[in-house]
Every structure is written in C-alpha cells, then in structure tokens.
C-alpha cells in the first residue's frame, strides 16, 4: 500500500516538473520572438531600411528665384525616387538674408549637409574650417568630374583642395537691344569694340532715339574687375592683405569714363536705373529706356529677355586698346559639403548626380549657367530655346577673349564691396564726389579692412 502511494507521489511530482519546465520553455520562446519583432521594428524606423540600406537624411540650402526653387525641388524628388533610402530636406530663400541664415547655422554647428556657395564667400568659409575638401570623393569616384575640364573646376579650389563644385559657368558682359540700334541707325557693337567706341555710339543712340538713352552705365565691381584685369592687375592682392593695384589713376580713369557719359547724355542718369537695384527683370532696357546695359552675367539673359518680351543680344565687354583680356569663366554658384554633415559621401554623390545626370539637367535647364559636364552641354544644346542658345554661344565665344580667373576673394571682401557701393559707386552716379576723391578714399578704407588678414 505504502509502495503504491510512493509511486503515485513520484509520478505526480514528475508531471508537475514537466509542466513547469514546458511552461518556462514556452515563455522563453515568446520572449525571444518578441525580441525579434522589436528588433525588426527598430530597423524599419531607425537607421536601416527594409532592404538593409542605411537610412540617410540630408539637408540642402540654396538661394534663387522661384523658377530655380521649382527646378531644384523636382530634381531632389528624382534623386530620392532613385535612392529610396535617402530623404532630402530642402531649405531655400532669396539672396537677401541668405548669408545671415548661413552665419546663424554655422554659429550653432548646424549647417546643412549641402550649401549653395558663392565665389565671394568661399575663402571665408574655408578659412573658418566649415567646408569639406571634396578631392577624396573625386578620387574614389563618388563625385564624378571626369567629364569636366579644369577651367570649370579651378574656381572651387583653394591650395589645390576642391571645396566647391561649380553649378554653371557664366561670363560677364553687356546686353543690347538690336531693334533700338536699328531704329537709331547705329551699328551694334562687335567683339573688339573699345571704351571710346561706347562713348561715341552711346551719344549717337541718345541723340537719335526718342525718349531712350544710349547705355545704362556701370561703375560696379563687376565692370571694375574687368577693367583692372585688362590693365594686368586685380581688385585684390594675391595674399589678400591689400588692394591688388597701387596706381589710383586706374580707378580714376575707370570712373571718369562714366562721369563723362552721364554728363554728355550718352548714358542714362541715375534716377532712370537706380531703383531697379540688382533685379535684372526691372532694368531700364526691359522697357526700352536704354539701348544697352553694361553690366550683366550671361545666365541672366534668359530672365531679362523674357521680361522684355523681345530679342536682346549678349556682347563682350569693351576692349582696352593695348590691354589684356579681361573676361574669365565665373562659377555662377557652387555646391559645397559642410563639416557639420554626418553623410558627406552621400552629399558628394548627390552633387555628382546634379552635375552629370542628363534627365536632371533637362529639368534644371542651365538656369544656373552653362553646365560644366561636356555630355550635359551636348545633350542640352539642341533642346534650348533661343535665349539659352545665345547664352551657350556667348560663353564659348568669350573663352577666346578670357584669361584664368583670379583667386577667390579674400576674407573681408564683402565688407570692401559694401564700402565700394556706399562710398564710390553711388556717389559717382550722383556727382557727389570726384573720381580722384573716391579713389583715394576707397584705397585708404579698403586697405584698413584687408590689413586684418595680416
């Protein structure tokens, strides 16, 4: 009897143990399964996509018109469609306020991965160690510039390091209205025309046209740089510690040319053109108030001709008799990768796509200037409208009248150019200073600013 009870108790205990172990085992399997699901959800919502690719978020900042915004946003969407693991957040604005926004983000260590950069600011941002040297990405093929000639890339280099990729080539020049020249019975300018020629035909235009002036003059820094280069010097010294010329008579002669044209009536007075500011679509030539504008970049032809609603023509700047070529291929603007970026390789890959992809450049339509990749230029040429073809033809022609671009502007250049506008350009237009006074004052104050680079 006792033996039977003992066997029963043994079997009962064994059964309880089996049930307990089984329960523990099931619980353990559930935990493992849950852990697996959690891990999967973490991957989907975090750094890895379903296909195993890393999820990447980029920010990109640029300035421009609404037309540029629309084109750039479409290309960003195209890139994200081809690269579903990449999300790009756009930030865009006009020129006004752009650099203040950049300065605030830089101070907070929060610059976007990709920023649109201007030639005038490149040295400053490199000097503050904010931009990435892109050469390693060129060398490993992430950033494909194999179809880009050196002349298009040099503007983005400092000490052989590539800090910025040119988004389009521009050349400074003039634009004229062929219909007004014909109406006045004046032959339009041809390459090689001189400053003296401008004085002459501008006066003839003003005299022969009813209610229009011959030219809209310019003593801005764009035309000044051209004139100085024709004289074998530059606006800034190579070391960036002073102005690049020592003889103030150069600036005096340059300013006096415009003073003479305004006084003779060959050029429009300032009240005709000052209100337009830098907006090309509001320049007097658009409404037929002048026959020629002496300060424009080639990519602006599309906008100004569209605003005018009639054909306009690009022409080289006046030649200096016995002088050197003054033209140069200028990067319209760049893309740079910032050191705040956690995905510098992907940022470089996007810039490569922006530079080389044919479909993307059909959308961009050379709005930032003549594309730097040869295959893109060839692809777009037959698809361009008349204004676009003129722009391409002009840039090609200007290369025969150009020499290498000057080094990027030194730190302090933006302060110097603000000084120039305030104390040289505007007072000269209104006759408030003589060329001699303006030149001497500018030298003294500009060199004080640049001496901070010592």
């Amino acid at each position: 009897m006792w033996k039977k009870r003992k066997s029963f108790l043994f079997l009962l205990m064994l059964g309880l143990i089996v049930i307990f172990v089984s329960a523990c085992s099931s619980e353990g399997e559930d935990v493992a399964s849950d852990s697996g699901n959690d891990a999967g959800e973490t991957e989907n919502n975090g750094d890895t996509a379903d296909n195993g690719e890393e999820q990447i978020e980029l920010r990109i900042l640029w300035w421009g018109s609404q037309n540029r915004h629309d084109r750039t946003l479409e290309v960003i969407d195209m890139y994200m469609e081809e690269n579903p693991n990449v999300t790009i957040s756009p930030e865009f604005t006009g020129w006004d306020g752009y650099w203040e926004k950049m300065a605030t983000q830089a101070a907070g260590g929060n610059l976007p991965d990709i920023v649109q950069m201007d030639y005038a600011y490149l040295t400053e941002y490199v000097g503050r160690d904010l931009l990435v040297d892109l050469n390693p990405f060129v060398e490993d093929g992430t950033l494909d510039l194999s179809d880009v000639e050196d002349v298009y890339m040099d503007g983005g280099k400092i000490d052989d390091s590539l800090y910025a990729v040119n988004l389009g080539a521009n050349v400074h020049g003039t634009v004229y209205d062929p219909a007004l020249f014909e109406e006045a019975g004046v032959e339009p300018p041809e390459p090689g025309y001189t400053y003296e020629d401008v004085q002459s035909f501008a006066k003839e235009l003003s005299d022969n046209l009813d209610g229009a002036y011959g030219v809209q003059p310019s003593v801005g820094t764009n035309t000044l740089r051209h004139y100085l280069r024709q004289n074998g010097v530059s606006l800034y010294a190579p070391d960036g510690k002073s102005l690049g010329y020592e003889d103030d008579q150069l600036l005096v002669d340059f300013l006096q040319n415009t003073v003479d044209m305004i006084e003779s009536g060959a050029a429009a007075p300032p009240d005709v053109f000052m209100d337009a500011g830098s907006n090309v679509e509001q320049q007097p030539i658009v409404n037929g108030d002048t026959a020629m504008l002496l300060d424009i970049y080639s990519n602006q032809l599309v906008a100004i001709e569209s605003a005018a609603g009639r054909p306009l023509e690009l022409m080289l700047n006046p030649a200096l008799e016995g002088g050197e070529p003054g033209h140069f291929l200028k990067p319209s603007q760049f893309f740079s990768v910032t050191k705040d970026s956690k995905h510098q390789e992907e940022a470089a890959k996007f810039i490569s796509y922006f530079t080389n992809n044919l479909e993307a450049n059909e959308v961009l339509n050379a709005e930032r200037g003549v594309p730097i990749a040869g295959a893109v230029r060839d692809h777009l040429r037959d698809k361009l409208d008349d204004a676009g073809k003129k722009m391409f033809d002009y840039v090609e022609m200007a290369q025969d009248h150009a020499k290498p671009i000057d080094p990027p502007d030194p730190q302090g250049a933006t302060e110097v150019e603000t000084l120039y506008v305030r104390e040289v350009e505007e007072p000269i237009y209104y006759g408030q200073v003589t060329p001699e006074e303006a030149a001497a004052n500018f030298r003294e104050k500009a060199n004080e600013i640049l001496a901070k680079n010592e």
Side-chain angles (χ1 to χ4, degrees):
M1 184 66 183
W2 165 246
K3 289 180 71 175
K4 288 182 178 177
R5 179 180 295 178
K6 191 174 180 181
S7 297
F8 173 76
L9 290 173
F10 174 76
L11 292 173
L12 179 61
M13 290 294 294
L14 182 61
L16 291 172
I17 291 171
V18 169
I19 291 171
F20 176 77
V21 170
S22 176
C24 289
S25 175
S26 297
E27 185 178 352
E29 287 175 3
D30 289 342
V31 170
S33 176
D34 288 342
S35 297
N37 288 337
D38 286 343
E41 289 172 5
T42 299
E43 287 175 0
N44 288 337
N45 296 328
D47 295 328
T48 307
D50 291 338
N51 59 7
E53 287 187 301
E54 181 186 13
Q55 282 293 301
I56 294 175
E57 294 184 0
L58 296 178
R59 291 165 53 219
I60 178 172
L61 173 66
W62 73 88
W63 76 81
S65 64
Q66 188 60 49
N67 183 287
R68 177 176 299 169
H69 301 334
D70 293 341
R71 294 179 187 279
T72 307
L73 289 170
E74 187 173 345
V75 170
I76 288 173
D77 286 342
M78 292 167 63
Y79 185 81
M80 290 194 294
E81 187 173 348
E82 290 187 21
N83 300 274
N85 64 315
V86 179
T87 301
I88 301 178
S89 300
E91 302 174 25
F92 49 89
T93 180
W95 174 265
D96 293 339
Y98 181 83
W99 297 102
E100 290 79 2
K101 182 182 179 73
M102 283 268 288
T104 301
Q105 293 177 331
N110 188 37
L111 279 170
D113 302 86
I114 304 169
V115 295
Q116 191 167 290
M117 178 55 57
D118 185 80
Y119 196 62
Y121 288 81
L122 183 58
T123 299
E124 177 182 339
Y125 275 74
V126 171
R128 293 166 61 189
D129 198 27
L130 294 171
L131 304 182
V132 173
D133 177 6
L134 297 170
N135 277 335
F137 298 116
V138 176
E139 292 165 1
D140 70 13
T142 302
L143 175 54
D144 183 5
L145 298 178
S146 60
D147 192 27
V148 180
E149 298 172 54
D150 289 345
V151 69
Y152 292 104
M153 293 196 294
D154 289 344
K157 292 180 178 178
I158 295 179
D159 296 334
D160 294 328
S161 295
L162 181 67
Y163 290 103
V165 177
N166 185 353
L167 299 180
N170 277 333
V171 177
H172 190 258
T174 70
V175 62
Y176 69 90
D177 184 338
L180 285 182
F181 272 76
E182 183 176 359
E183 180 181 333
V186 176
E187 288 295 321
E190 296 283 345
Y193 73 104
T194 66
Y195 291 97
E196 291 74 20
D197 293 334
V198 177
Q199 293 264 7
S200 176
F201 70 63
K203 183 66 169 67
E204 191 175 357
L205 284 163
S206 291
D207 290 344
N208 294 355
L209 292 172
D210 183 13
Y213 293 91
V215 300
Q216 177 180 336
S218 172
V219 292
T221 52
N222 290 330
T223 46
L224 173 61
R225 287 174 190 270
H226 185 89
Y227 184 77
L228 292 173
R229 285 166 56 85
Q230 289 177 314
N231 282 277
V233 293
S234 301
L235 182 55
Y236 299 106
D239 62 5
K241 299 176 182 176
S242 66
L243 293 175
Y245 61 94
E246 296 181 353
D247 184 0
D248 279 346
Q249 191 61 43
L250 291 174
L251 181 52
V252 171
D253 292 343
F254 171 75
L255 298 175
Q256 189 64 53
N257 186 54
T258 288
V259 170
D260 291 344
M261 286 202 295
I262 292 176
E263 290 179 351
S264 72
D271 59 326
V272 173
F273 60 85
M274 287 298 286
D275 288 343
S278 59
N279 188 336
V280 295
E281 295 166 334
Q282 297 179 9
Q283 300 304 315
I285 194 173
V286 170
N287 296 321
D289 293 330
T290 65
M292 193 170 187
L293 168 61
L294 297 179
D295 183 7
I296 195 169
Y297 272 102
S298 50
N299 70 314
Q300 295 176 309
L301 178 69
V302 175
I304 199 168
E305 188 174 270
S306 175
R310 62 187 187 283
L312 300 176
E313 299 291 341
L314 284 168
M315 179 44 60
L316 299 170
N317 285 331
L320 178 68
E321 197 164 346
E324 301 179 10
H327 287 289
F328 58 91
L329 265 64
K330 180 184 182 298
S332 60
Q333 55 258 179
F334 305 95
F335 270 157
S336 293
V337 177
T338 72
K339 289 198 171 179
D340 289 342
S341 174
K342 297 178 181 176
H343 300 288
Q344 297 174 3
E345 182 177 1
E346 189 66 34
K349 182 182 169 188
F350 175 80
I351 295 174
S352 186
Y353 176 86
F354 207 87
T355 301
N356 296 295
N357 186 275
L358 300 182
E359 289 75 22
N361 275 279
E362 285 183 19
V363 174
L364 295 171
N365 198 35
E367 187 274 335
R368 286 177 168 87
V370 176
I372 64 172
V376 173
R377 287 198 301 276
D378 293 341
H379 181 74
L380 289 185
R381 177 172 286 281
D382 294 337
K383 302 178 185 300
L384 295 170
D385 58 18
D386 287 344
K389 290 176 181 174
K390 291 177 189 175
M391 177 178 65
F392 272 49
D393 290 343
Y394 177 75
V395 171
E396 286 187 3
M397 176 181 71
Q399 292 183 53
D400 294 332
H401 302 267
K403 62 181 180 181
I405 190 172
D406 293 338
D409 291 348
Q411 294 193 55
T414 53
E415 187 178 356
V416 170
E417 297 197 21
T418 299
L419 166 73
Y420 182 88
V421 170
R422 186 180 64 244
E423 301 195 17
V424 178
E425 183 175 359
E426 293 180 356
I428 281 292
Y429 288 144
Y430 287 102
Q432 296 168 337
V433 295
T434 67
E436 289 79 5
E437 292 169 341
N441 177 59
F442 178 63
R443 168 174 296 284
E444 178 184 353
K445 294 182 178 178
N447 279 341
E448 285 180 5
I449 295 169
L450 296 170
K452 298 173 186 174
N453 293 327
E454 291 283 356

